[in-house]
Amino acid sequence: MKVGIIGASGYGGLELIRLLHSHPEIKKIELFTSSEEGTVFSHKYSHLMNIIDQPLQKIEHETLANYDVIFSSAPAGVASQLLAPLLGIGPMLIDLSGDFRLKDLSSYEQWYKKTPAPAHAVEQSVYGLTEWNREAIQQAALIANPGCYPTAVLLALLPLVKENLIDVSHLVIDAKSGVSGAGNGLNRMTHYSETNENTAIYKINEHQHIPEIEQAFSMFAQDTPPITFNTHLVPMTRGIIATSYAPVKEGVTEAQLVQCLEEKYAEEPFVRVLHEASKFGTNQVYGSNYCDLHVKVDPRTNRATIVSVIDNLVKGAAGQAIQNMNVQFGFEETFGLTHVPAFI
Amino acid sequence: MKVGIIGASGYGGLELIRLLHSHPEIKKIELFTSSEEGTVFSHKYSHLMNIIDQPLQKIEHETLANYDVIFSSAPAGVASQLLAPLLGIGPMLIDLSGDFRLKDLSSYEQWYKKTPAPAHAVEQSVYGLTEWNREAIQQAALIANPGCYPTAVLLALLPLVKENLIDVSHLVIDAKSGVSGAGNGLNRMTHYSETNENTAIYKINEHQHIPEIEQAFSMFAQDTPPITFNTHLVPMTRGIIATSYAPVKEGVTEAQLVQCLEEKYAEEPFVRVLHEASKFGTNQVYGSNYCDLHVKVDPRTNRATIVSVIDNLVKGAAGQAIQNMNVQFGFEETFGLTHVPAFI
Amino acid sequence: MKVGIIGASGYGGLELIRLLHSHPEIKKIELFTSSEEGTVFSHKYSHLMNIIDQPLQKIEHETLANYDVIFSSAPAGVASQLLAPLLGIGPMLIDLSGDFRLKDLSSYEQWYKKTPAPAHAVEQSVYGLTEWNREAIQQAALIANPGCYPTAVLLALLPLVKENLIDVSHLVIDAKSGVSGAGNGLNRMTHYSETNENTAIYKINEHQHIPEIEQAFSMFAQDTPPITFNTHLVPMTRGIIATSYAPVKEGVTEAQLVQCLEEKYAEEPFVRVLHEASKFGTNQVYGSNYCDLHVKVDPRTNRATIVSVIDNLVKGAAGQAIQNMNVQFGFEETFGLTHVPAFI
Amino acid sequence: MKVGIIGASGYGGLELIRLLHSHPEIKKIELFTSSEEGTVFSHKYSHLMNIIDQPLQKIEHETLANYDVIFSSAPAGVASQLLAPLLGIGPMLIDLSGDFRLKDLSSYEQWYKKTPAPAHAVEQSVYGLTEWNREAIQQAALIANPGCYPTAVLLALLPLVKENLIDVSHLVIDAKSGVSGAGNGLNRMTHYSETNENTAIYKINEHQHIPEIEQAFSMFAQDTPPITFNTHLVPMTRGIIATSYAPVKEGVTEAQLVQCLEEKYAEEPFVRVLHEASKFGTNQVYGSNYCDLHVKVDPRTNRATIVSVIDNLVKGAAGQAIQNMNVQFGFEETFGLTHVPAFI
């Protein structure tokens, strides 16, 4: 297996390196760059000393054509330009940005406020929500790896929406994320002194993951009305908790919701359904590829509270990307992903 | 003005001391205890050296009868026992616990799982949500100071519920709090290594502030169906952000919601309505008595997102308690409460 | 009193605003800028809504000449250019940067790697370590307000060095600071995801506060050999703890060290000496102008451990600046500085 | 390989589980308890659901005698009582507490203020500082796994002390640790609201790791005078940074110190020596078994600053314990310990 990473300096890239290091089928990783050619990676990131000491290489088609898999952790707007020309030259492409996720190019333009990727590339892309799209992933030339928030939201809600157990016309999703989701770019949102001791809502009703969630509902469950989805930044590095609220359909019980989730994910290695939880938080999946789910129905209101937690950098990015690679190459799906949650 | 504090060792008590120190009408504060008589307070809390160096005194009715105001920061279940016997002996009583808030004693028992306060005391208590109950507060013998979450939620929602601008039958309130709200008691919820780098939901659908919010809706606006309210613990010490979601009533616009809030609070010194906010978070009220509000309507869903932030220890506890004292004694309402938000 | 602030957008400036708001002799503060003229300050920093709503004004000599005091929170290298032309035109100048602190211009150039301020301005500047330089401060046209680290270090060590109780030839100072000390500039050192869950040493043996400490030893106590001083960044916003180690002189006891500190600071409102401390940390001065001191001698090694804590933004910057203004204008030295430490 | 853990509920125990899960020679781990028999471990720690679902078992000699290795994460004072009776019955014993580290029982009593372990057990114990004691570890029946602070300090200083390159009579060690080092016991030191936004010194000159460091100097390098060692708690969960200061011996250069460290550790998989470091912090070893070292000599003072960072739960506890097991059983020393530092 020859594996390359484009945009390794981003946090998705660093996390790919961390996880692939324990993958039994991957012996070597090469790093490619459009701007930092020749930089020895461990000089830039000294935590990788003795682990990744080779220099960053220039992105050249002849070189990359020999690879089995290319991961891209380049940012939205850049990824489409770097990857579209590589489509079909050989390697499986797995993109961690949002550039190939939305099938409707005008929707991309509207929410991302950037030029969309070429239509033919978007057409070929396969949405990499592993537990819901394995068959297509096995054959995909280009994976659009899901966003961090959509991963947490969809794994929790898709079974319930598909089975028509909750009323999506009154669905409200309130998500909270650690700061690493904002990447390694410097800005006021990620400036320590203004982020520490602060929980803040941002991009109210305007987060670009909204159309991604709606598209996936439509693709894997059923068409829904526009959803309400908001995001908060909390003072921690890793983790997403998504709290979703919806009335249950007439006569539906909490037990049915739990059963629906358990049946869907009974054989899944990375989705766990918790029955009891006096406290249910992001640290129970920290550093791991797990998505944990918990659901309660309030008998006073007949409204369900569905909670999901992931590590945004693992199941929400690099981990799911590796899981998709494993699916395509027929590896054990847990290869490279056996990390136990750190909890503390 | 003779001011005493019962339960000063609690975080509400410490915050009362911090704020009252700058109150121009308060020259001296005495501290009372049921268990630590004789302890020099600054030996226990050295940050108060040279500020509060006197010993804790025993709670004795003859002594307390001479005071103008007694604040209690004793925990729920204890406060009712300490304060009920003091009712009518002289001082105005301001209780920071939940013991006198719920007029329905069986509701208290159900949500708090403790023995309720004596009925006559609860009957006399006045709910201390300053901006909504000034007239009653002026005459009150016993103030039931509002809970931290209800303060943030009610200041944001009461005007809209009262004016019938939002559909409360689909109201969802998702709140997030810093850890100091859990007080100074030691438990796993407040153990650093399991709280840091963790955002967690707790007491799903069972938080004791639910009936308090519903009672206040009924008292100041209109009866509502049971509400959905959930709470999360985020890794920071101070601050609450409450994100509320409700469909707007037919034809109601975002501008109307903003105007409704602005009109209600136009003359209020401590409630601010923000128009624009690319990021809206708890640090903009840190350490201060402000409650900041922000509202957006999503044109895709006609659902309003109403966000409020407070410092849970100030406007959500000690600050509002002092504001209530100021109301009763005819002081400037901002006395002792002019602290500028720290932000950083 | 007419008070102006240059560079108010910096964290020193924000903190000046927070503290001056409670100063009984200051009714109005005006903000001046070299680059953001016309910006309404509370639009930039919404936590100041209803507190500082006026626009930033252009720096013009005719205007500034009418002021009593001008504080500058402009960065080193910039402050000297903005302030030198204002020297002598009227207002007392208080500079929070390092530009006027080092009397030896070549030393400034070597440690700051910038062009030094004009020699005549540096000559006139008075080092604003209030407790040690009051007489000169009373008359000063230009105050070089001390650095955050030097304030913590000098208040702890100057009495002991002056009385010759410790062996400065083996003095080692190990300091730790919250991130706000790095200001509001965006860089990797202050990027949340790389700063959270990380304690790091930086600028080993090269911190520009080294010559400032040495100069102050020489000025207020005695000449010393070069000192060892290192600094660490810890994941919190505010606070400095400086841990200093030195052998005690032959026959000197712990009691003598304690007594030396207590005598020096017996009448000082902002320096406290703690006798017992099972845990001694930055939160006991959080948000306040206190500097707390604690000293122990290890009988096994005859080496003293001298610990000091300050809030870097208050006693280490804006608070001490206001204290210096109070000294010059004959106000109570505590005006604007009565904030009780927040602790939680 | 049959592996058991006593005291798995402690943070050392949780970390053993996390790391052993990736050890290629360990298929199953059993957990033993003196007080929680029958509790299903993943009910207590839900992050281990589907990973460790078996119940805790009673500590019984007949059962434990069949094991190859028993790790103990029981606290000091308890570990000696649980492990001493198991000595010689079969399994290799690896104790993470301080109970078997100090060969001088009266020293244990003095610093730990507890009853020491039986003399014969202490005599047989082998100090598990892997890089310095491999030969003895290979044969050991009982490993006294080193303390977290001593591991960081000794790996940095032992080569320099042994080669006589620094003057240990003026050695000062200033260490800073994340809060997980204090374990899962509830107390004020670990209460979130008093630990967050606070860096504090504790146990000044009285930390029980002082005699452990001195004993190891004597054992592996040379006798030294009593050392100065102090510890600080910083608001993060994991990580230790130890900053050590000592004059270099006459004529010794920085290059010689670097070379000494590099030569000693040239073949070591877990010790890395960094040459350049504008910022050197704990996040570069986060979650991994690395100990990173960095040294600078100040030409102004001829004093060396030697800095080391570890993850206190890995190299400072569970990781080193597994490394010692690997040594004894002849496994690759990196088995179970290939985790890449998380950095973010």
Side-chain angles (χ1 to χ4, degrees):
Chain A
M1 283 287 290
K2 292 192 74 174
V3 173
I5 301 175
I6 292 173
S9 296
Y11 290 166
L14 292 178
E15 195 69 357
L16 282 165
I17 291 169
R18 181 175 82 87
L19 299 173
L20 287 170
H21 189 69
S22 72
H23 195 294
E25 300 286 339
I26 311 292
K27 294 302 164 231
K28 187 137 193 223
I29 307 163
E30 296 290 342
L31 309 181
F32 296 89
T33 179
S34 54
S35 61
E36 299 180 287
E37 190 190 346
T39 301
V40 174
F41 204 62
S42 60
H43 291 181
K44 178 166 180 167
Y45 286 116
S46 56
H47 71 284
L48 294 173
M49 185 177 172
N50 297 356
I51 299 169
I52 298 275
D53 293 315
Q54 68 263 39
L56 292 164
Q57 301 174 46
K58 204 175 163 184
I59 299 175
E60 292 183 317
H61 292 197
E62 319 80 272
T63 316
L64 292 169
N66 296 317
Y67 278 73
D68 295 293
V69 187
I70 298 293
F71 294 96
S72 169
S73 177
V78 174
S80 60
Q81 293 173 41
L82 296 176
L83 290 185
L86 302 178
L87 192 51
I89 69 166
M92 178 199 198
L93 304 176
I94 305 182
D95 179 32
L96 275 67
S97 87
D99 276 1
F100 300 100
R101 293 181 199 149
L102 299 182
K103 294 297 184 186
D104 178 347
L105 303 190
S106 65
S107 175
Y108 177 90
E109 248 181 311
Q110 178 196 334
W111 291 90
Y112 281 81
K113 293 169 180 60
K114 292 177 195 291
T115 307
H120 76 280
V122 175
E123 259 165 54
Q124 287 182 63
S125 79
V126 168
Y127 191 63
L129 190 69
T130 325
E131 285 79 5
W132 287 83
N133 214 15
R134 271 198 191 86
E135 221 161 296
I137 290 165
Q138 280 169 0
Q139 316 296 332
L142 169 60
I143 297 283
N145 212 57
C148 50
Y149 287 120
T151 298
V153 168
L154 293 167
L155 290 175
L157 297 184
L158 273 175
L160 309 178
V161 174
K162 189 177 184 188
E163 298 302 325
N164 215 19
L165 299 174
I166 58 173
D167 176 1
V168 290
S169 69
H170 289 292
L171 175 63
V172 167
I173 308 166
D174 187 283
K176 302 94 185 163
S177 176
V179 182
S180 64
N184 74 351
L186 303 177
N187 60 62
R188 299 236 77 81
M189 289 278 285
T190 56
H191 189 58
Y192 186 89
S193 300
E194 298 177 25
T195 305
N196 184 40
E197 282 291 286
N198 187 24
T199 298
I201 194 169
Y202 66 103
K203 290 191 185 176
I204 302 180
N205 299 326
E206 294 183 351
H207 200 286
Q208 69 276 11
H209 287 166
I210 291 174
E212 182 179 338
I213 295 169
E214 290 175 349
Q215 174 182 282
F217 279 155
S218 171
M219 201 183 291
F220 301 117
Q222 57 170 280
D223 284 340
T224 64
I227 60 163
T228 292
F229 170 75
N230 272 311
T231 53
H232 303 73
L233 210 58
V234 298
M236 60 186 196
T237 300
R238 288 171 179 249
I240 282 177
I241 180 166
T243 316
S244 301
Y245 302 91
V248 293
K249 286 287 179 72
E250 183 75 33
V252 170
T253 64
E254 182 175 300
Q256 280 175 275
L257 300 184
V258 173
Q259 192 188 357
C260 170
L261 294 175
E262 289 193 325
E263 284 180 358
K264 167 63 191 171
Y265 298 120
E267 305 300 319
E268 290 295 345
F270 295 120
V271 185
R272 304 185 294 192
V273 183
L274 263 78
H275 285 223
E276 287 306 315
S278 67
K279 188 185 173 191
F280 178 79
T282 56
N283 68 350
Q284 66 179 56
V285 296
Y286 196 95
S288 82
N289 200 49
Y290 285 107
C291 174
D292 282 5
L293 307 177
H294 184 55
V295 61
K296 298 289 275 184
V297 173
D298 185 353
R300 299 168 68 249
T301 62
N302 281 321
R303 194 172 279 116
T305 303
I306 308 121
V307 200
S308 47
V309 291
I310 59 168
D311 184 317
N312 57 304
L313 293 175
V314 188
K315 187 62 174 169
Q320 188 161 224
I322 293 168
Q323 196 179 351
N324 287 328
M325 177 191 75
N326 288 340
V327 168
Q328 178 154 109
F329 289 87
F331 301 142
E332 285 283 325
E333 215 164 299
T334 56
F335 277 6
L337 300 169
T338 53
H339 300 74
V340 173
F343 182 59
I344 34 144
Chain B
M1 284 287 291
K2 292 192 75 175
V3 174
I5 301 175
I6 291 173
S9 296
Y11 290 165
L14 292 178
E15 194 70 357
L16 283 165
I17 291 169
R18 181 175 81 87
L19 299 172
L20 287 170
H21 189 69
S22 72
H23 195 295
E25 300 285 340
I26 311 293
K27 294 303 164 229
K28 189 139 194 221
I29 307 162
E30 296 291 342
L31 310 181
F32 296 91
T33 179
S34 54
S35 62
E36 300 180 287
E37 191 190 345
T39 301
V40 174
F41 204 62
S42 59
H43 292 180
K44 178 166 180 167
Y45 286 116
S46 56
H47 72 285
L48 294 173
M49 184 179 173
N50 297 356
I51 300 169
I52 298 275
D53 293 315
Q54 68 263 40
L56 292 163
Q57 301 173 47
K58 203 174 163 185
I59 300 175
E60 292 183 317
H61 292 196
E62 319 80 272
T63 315
L64 291 168
N66 296 317
Y67 279 73
D68 296 293
V69 188
I70 299 292
F71 295 95
S72 170
S73 177
V78 174
S80 61
Q81 293 174 42
L82 295 176
L83 292 184
L86 303 177
L87 193 51
I89 69 166
M92 178 198 197
L93 304 177
I94 306 182
D95 178 32
L96 276 66
S97 87
D99 276 2
F100 300 100
R101 292 180 200 149
L102 300 182
K103 294 296 183 187
D104 178 345
L105 302 190
S106 64
S107 175
Y108 178 90
E109 247 181 313
Q110 177 195 334
W111 291 90
Y112 281 81
K113 294 170 180 60
K114 293 176 195 291
T115 307
H120 76 280
V122 174
E123 258 166 55
Q124 287 182 65
S125 79
V126 169
Y127 190 62
L129 189 68
T130 325
E131 285 78 5
W132 288 82
N133 214 16
R134 270 197 191 87
E135 222 161 296
I137 290 164
Q138 281 170 0
Q139 316 297 332
L142 169 59
I143 297 283
N145 212 58
C148 50
Y149 288 120
T151 299
V153 168
L154 293 168
L155 290 175
L157 297 184
L158 273 176
L160 310 178
V161 174
K162 189 177 184 188
E163 299 301 325
N164 215 20
L165 299 174
I166 57 173
D167 176 0
V168 290
S169 69
H170 289 293
L171 175 63
V172 167
I173 308 166
D174 187 283
K176 303 95 185 163
S177 176
V179 182
S180 64
N184 73 351
L186 303 177
N187 59 62
R188 299 236 78 79
M189 288 279 285
T190 56
H191 189 59
Y192 186 89
S193 300
E194 298 177 25
T195 304
N196 184 40
E197 281 291 288
N198 186 25
T199 298
I201 194 169
Y202 66 103
K203 289 192 186 176
I204 302 179
N205 299 327
E206 294 183 351
H207 200 287
Q208 70 277 10
H209 287 167
I210 291 173
E212 182 179 339
I213 294 168
E214 291 175 349
Q215 175 182 282
F217 278 155
S218 171
M219 199 183 293
F220 301 116
Q222 57 170 281
D223 284 339
T224 64
I227 60 163
T228 292
F229 170 75
N230 272 312
T231 53
H232 303 74
L233 210 58
V234 298
M236 60 187 195
T237 299
R238 288 171 179 249
I240 282 178
I241 180 166
T243 316
S244 300
Y245 302 91
V248 293
K249 286 288 179 69
E250 183 75 31
V252 169
T253 64
E254 182 175 301
Q256 280 175 277
L257 300 185
V258 173
Q259 192 189 358
C260 170
L261 295 175
E262 288 193 326
E263 284 180 359
K264 167 63 191 171
Y265 297 120
E267 305 299 318
E268 291 295 345
F270 295 122
V271 184
R272 303 185 295 191
V273 183
L274 264 78
H275 286 223
E276 287 307 315
S278 67
K279 187 185 174 190
F280 179 80
T282 56
N283 68 349
Q284 65 179 55
V285 296
Y286 196 95
S288 83
N289 200 48
Y290 285 106
C291 174
D292 282 4
L293 307 177
H294 184 55
V295 59
K296 298 289 275 185
V297 173
D298 184 353
R300 300 168 68 248
T301 62
N302 281 321
R303 194 171 280 115
T305 302
I306 309 122
V307 199
S308 48
V309 291
I310 60 168
D311 184 318
N312 57 304
L313 293 175
V314 189
K315 187 62 174 168
Q320 188 161 222
I322 293 168
Q323 196 179 351
N324 287 329
M325 177 191 74
N326 289 340
V327 167
Q328 178 154 110
F329 289 87
F331 301 143
E332 285 283 324
E333 215 165 298
T334 56
F335 277 6
L337 300 170
T338 53
H339 300 74
V340 173
F343 182 60
I344 34 144
Chain C
M1 284 287 292
K2 294 194 71 174
V3 173
I5 301 176
I6 292 173
S9 296
Y11 289 164
L14 293 177
E15 194 69 358
L16 282 165
I17 291 169
R18 181 175 81 87
L19 299 173
L20 287 170
H21 190 68
S22 71
H23 195 294
E25 300 285 340
I26 312 290
K27 295 302 162 228
K28 188 134 193 226
I29 307 163
E30 296 290 342
L31 309 181
F32 296 90
T33 178
S34 52
S35 61
E36 301 180 286
E37 191 189 345
T39 301
V40 175
F41 204 62
S42 59
H43 291 181
K44 178 165 181 167
Y45 286 115
S46 56
H47 71 285
L48 294 174
M49 185 178 172
N50 298 356
I51 300 169
I52 298 274
D53 293 314
Q54 67 264 40
L56 292 164
Q57 301 173 47
K58 202 172 162 187
I59 300 175
E60 292 183 316
H61 292 197
E62 318 80 272
T63 315
L64 292 169
N66 297 317
Y67 279 72
D68 296 294
V69 188
I70 298 293
F71 293 96
S72 169
S73 178
V78 175
S80 60
Q81 293 174 40
L82 295 175
L83 291 185
L86 302 176
L87 192 51
I89 70 167
M92 179 201 195
L93 304 176
I94 305 183
D95 178 33
L96 275 68
S97 86
D99 277 2
F100 300 100
R101 291 181 200 148
L102 299 183
K103 293 298 183 184
D104 177 347
L105 302 189
S106 65
S107 175
Y108 178 89
E109 249 183 308
Q110 176 195 335
W111 291 90
Y112 281 80
K113 293 171 182 59
K114 292 176 195 291
T115 306
H120 75 279
V122 175
E123 257 165 55
Q124 285 181 64
S125 78
V126 168
Y127 191 63
L129 189 69
T130 326
E131 285 78 4
W132 287 84
N133 213 15
R134 270 196 191 90
E135 220 161 298
I137 291 165
Q138 280 171 358
Q139 317 296 331
L142 169 60
I143 297 284
N145 212 57
C148 50
Y149 287 121
T151 299
V153 168
L154 292 169
L155 290 175
L157 297 184
L158 273 176
L160 310 179
V161 174
K162 189 177 183 189
E163 300 301 324
N164 215 19
L165 299 174
I166 57 173
D167 176 1
V168 290
S169 67
H170 288 292
L171 175 63
V172 166
I173 308 166
D174 187 284
K176 303 94 185 167
S177 176
V179 181
S180 64
N184 73 351
L186 304 176
N187 59 61
R188 298 236 78 80
M189 288 279 285
T190 57
H191 189 59
Y192 186 88
S193 300
E194 299 177 25
T195 304
N196 184 39
E197 283 290 287
N198 186 23
T199 298
I201 193 169
Y202 66 104
K203 289 192 186 175
I204 302 180
N205 299 326
E206 294 182 351
H207 200 288
Q208 70 276 11
H209 286 167
I210 291 174
E212 184 179 339
I213 295 169
E214 290 174 351
Q215 175 182 283
F217 278 155
S218 170
M219 202 183 290
F220 301 116
Q222 56 169 281
D223 284 338
T224 63
I227 60 164
T228 290
F229 169 75
N230 272 311
T231 54
H232 303 75
L233 212 57
V234 299
M236 61 185 195
T237 300
R238 287 170 180 250
I240 282 177
I241 181 166
T243 315
S244 301
Y245 301 92
V248 293
K249 286 289 180 70
E250 182 76 31
V252 169
T253 64
E254 182 175 301
Q256 280 174 277
L257 300 185
V258 173
Q259 191 188 358
C260 170
L261 295 175
E262 289 194 324
E263 285 180 358
K264 167 64 191 170
Y265 297 120
E267 305 300 319
E268 290 295 345
F270 295 121
V271 184
R272 303 186 294 193
V273 182
L274 264 78
H275 285 222
E276 285 308 314
S278 67
K279 188 184 173 191
F280 179 79
T282 56
N283 68 349
Q284 64 179 56
V285 296
Y286 196 94
S288 82
N289 201 48
Y290 286 107
C291 174
D292 282 4
L293 307 178
H294 184 54
V295 59
K296 298 288 275 185
V297 173
D298 185 353
R300 300 168 67 251
T301 62
N302 282 320
R303 195 172 278 115
T305 302
I306 308 123
V307 200
S308 48
V309 291
I310 60 169
D311 184 318
N312 57 303
L313 293 175
V314 189
K315 187 62 175 170
Q320 187 161 225
I322 293 169
Q323 195 179 351
N324 287 328
M325 178 191 74
N326 289 340
V327 167
Q328 179 155 108
F329 289 87
F331 300 143
E332 285 283 325
E333 214 164 301
T334 57
F335 277 7
L337 300 171
T338 54
H339 299 75
V340 173
F343 182 59
I344 35 145
Chain D
M1 283 287 292
K2 293 193 72 173
V3 173
I5 301 176
I6 291 173
S9 296
Y11 289 165
L14 292 178
E15 194 69 358
L16 282 165
I17 291 169
R18 182 174 82 87
L19 299 173
L20 287 170
H21 189 69
S22 71
H23 194 294
E25 300 286 340
I26 311 291
K27 295 301 163 228
K28 189 137 194 223
I29 307 163
E30 297 290 342
L31 309 181
F32 296 89
T33 179
S34 52
S35 62
E36 300 180 288
E37 191 189 345
T39 301
V40 174
F41 205 62
S42 60
H43 291 181
K44 178 165 180 167
Y45 286 116
S46 56
H47 72 284
L48 294 174
M49 184 179 173
N50 298 357
I51 300 169
I52 299 274
D53 293 315
Q54 67 264 40
L56 292 164
Q57 301 174 47
K58 202 173 163 185
I59 299 176
E60 292 183 316
H61 291 196
E62 319 78 272
T63 315
L64 291 169
N66 295 317
Y67 279 71
D68 296 294
V69 188
I70 298 293
F71 292 96
S72 169
S73 177
V78 175
S80 60
Q81 293 173 39
L82 295 176
L83 291 185
L86 303 177
L87 192 50
I89 69 166
M92 179 200 195
L93 304 176
I94 305 183
D95 178 34
L96 275 67
S97 87
D99 277 1
F100 299 100
R101 292 180 201 148
L102 300 183
K103 294 298 183 184
D104 177 347
L105 302 190
S106 65
S107 175
Y108 177 90
E109 249 182 310
Q110 177 196 335
W111 291 89
Y112 281 80
K113 293 170 183 59
K114 293 175 194 292
T115 307
H120 75 280
V122 175
E123 258 166 54
Q124 285 182 64
S125 78
V126 168
Y127 190 63
L129 188 69
T130 326
E131 286 77 4
W132 287 83
N133 213 15
R134 270 196 191 87
E135 221 161 298
I137 290 165
Q138 281 170 359
Q139 317 296 332
L142 169 59
I143 297 283
N145 212 56
C148 50
Y149 287 121
T151 299
V153 168
L154 293 168
L155 290 174
L157 297 184
L158 273 176
L160 309 178
V161 174
K162 188 176 183 188
E163 299 302 324
N164 215 21
L165 299 174
I166 57 173
D167 175 1
V168 290
S169 67
H170 289 292
L171 175 63
V172 166
I173 307 166
D174 187 283
K176 303 96 185 165
S177 176
V179 181
S180 64
N184 74 350
L186 303 176
N187 60 61
R188 298 237 78 81
M189 288 279 285
T190 56
H191 190 58
Y192 186 89
S193 300
E194 299 178 23
T195 304
N196 184 39
E197 282 291 287
N198 186 24
T199 298
I201 193 169
Y202 66 104
K203 290 192 187 175
I204 302 180
N205 299 325
E206 293 182 352
H207 200 288
Q208 70 276 12
H209 286 167
I210 292 173
E212 183 179 338
I213 294 168
E214 290 174 349
Q215 175 182 282
F217 279 155
S218 170
M219 201 183 292
F220 302 116
Q222 56 170 280
D223 284 338
T224 64
I227 60 164
T228 291
F229 169 75
N230 272 311
T231 54
H232 303 74
L233 212 58
V234 298
M236 60 185 196
T237 300
R238 286 169 181 249
I240 282 177
I241 181 167
T243 315
S244 301
Y245 300 91
V248 294
K249 286 288 179 71
E250 182 76 31
V252 169
T253 64
E254 182 176 299
Q256 280 175 277
L257 300 185
V258 174
Q259 191 188 357
C260 171
L261 294 175
E262 289 193 325
E263 284 180 359
K264 166 64 191 171
Y265 298 120
E267 305 299 319
E268 290 295 344
F270 295 121
V271 185
R272 303 185 294 193
V273 182
L274 264 78
H275 285 222
E276 286 307 315
S278 67
K279 189 185 173 191
F280 179 79
T282 56
N283 68 349
Q284 64 178 56
V285 297
Y286 196 94
S288 82
N289 201 48
Y290 286 106
C291 174
D292 283 3
L293 307 177
H294 184 56
V295 59
K296 297 288 275 187
V297 173
D298 185 353
R300 300 169 68 250
T301 62
N302 281 320
R303 194 172 280 116
T305 302
I306 308 124
V307 199
S308 47
V309 291
I310 60 168
D311 184 318
N312 57 304
L313 293 175
V314 189
K315 187 62 175 169
Q320 188 161 223
I322 293 169
Q323 195 179 352
N324 287 328
M325 178 192 74
N326 289 340
V327 167
Q328 180 155 108
F329 289 87
F331 300 143
E332 285 282 325
E333 215 164 300
T334 57
F335 277 7
L337 300 171
T338 54
H339 299 74
V340 173
F343 182 59
I344 35 147

